[in-house]
Amino acid sequence: GDALIFGPETRGLCAEIREKFEDRCVTLPIRKDNIRSLNLAVSTSVGLYEALRQQNFKQMQLLGELHRLHWKE
C-alpha cells in the first residue's frame, strides 16, 4: 500500500522522515517571488489528486457535476 505524509505548514516534514524516505519525498514547486507557502489543505489536495491520477481515477471517472461544465476563457 501507499501512504501520503504531510508535515505542518510552518516547517514541513521533520528531518528524520525526510532522511529515511529521501528517495520517495517530493515537493510542490511554487514561485518564491509571489507565494510564501502553500496551505496544507491545498498541498494535500494536489498530492491526493496526483496519486489518484496515476491510478487512472479508478471508480471516480465522471462522477459529480464538474465534468459536465464548459469553462469560458
Side-chain angles (χ1 to χ4, degrees):
D2 299 321
L4 301 176
I5 302 172
F6 296 86
E9 292 177 18
T10 55
R11 61 186 180 280
L13 288 174
C14 67
E16 180 182 356
I17 292 175
R18 286 194 319 266
E19 291 166 8
K20 184 173 182 177
F21 301 104
E22 182 178 9
D23 61 325
R24 291 177 267 176
C25 286
V26 298
T27 58
L28 298 178
I30 61 172
R31 293 185 56 165
K32 297 287 185 182
D33 56 336
N34 298 23
I35 302 170
R36 284 187 305 123
S37 64
L38 289 177
N39 172 290
L40 183 58
V42 171
S43 300
T44 302
S45 299
V46 171
L48 180 58
Y49 176 85
E50 179 57 17
L52 293 171
R53 186 193 69 77
Q54 290 182 23
Q55 296 298 315
N56 296 316
F57 283 84
K58 293 192 190 312
Q59 302 169 345
M60 291 183 65
Q61 293 179 345
L62 302 180
L63 294 179
E65 298 297 322
L66 288 178
H67 74 278
R68 294 186 187 99
L69 297 176
H70 298 282
W71 303 100
K72 295 181 182 179
E73 293 291 325

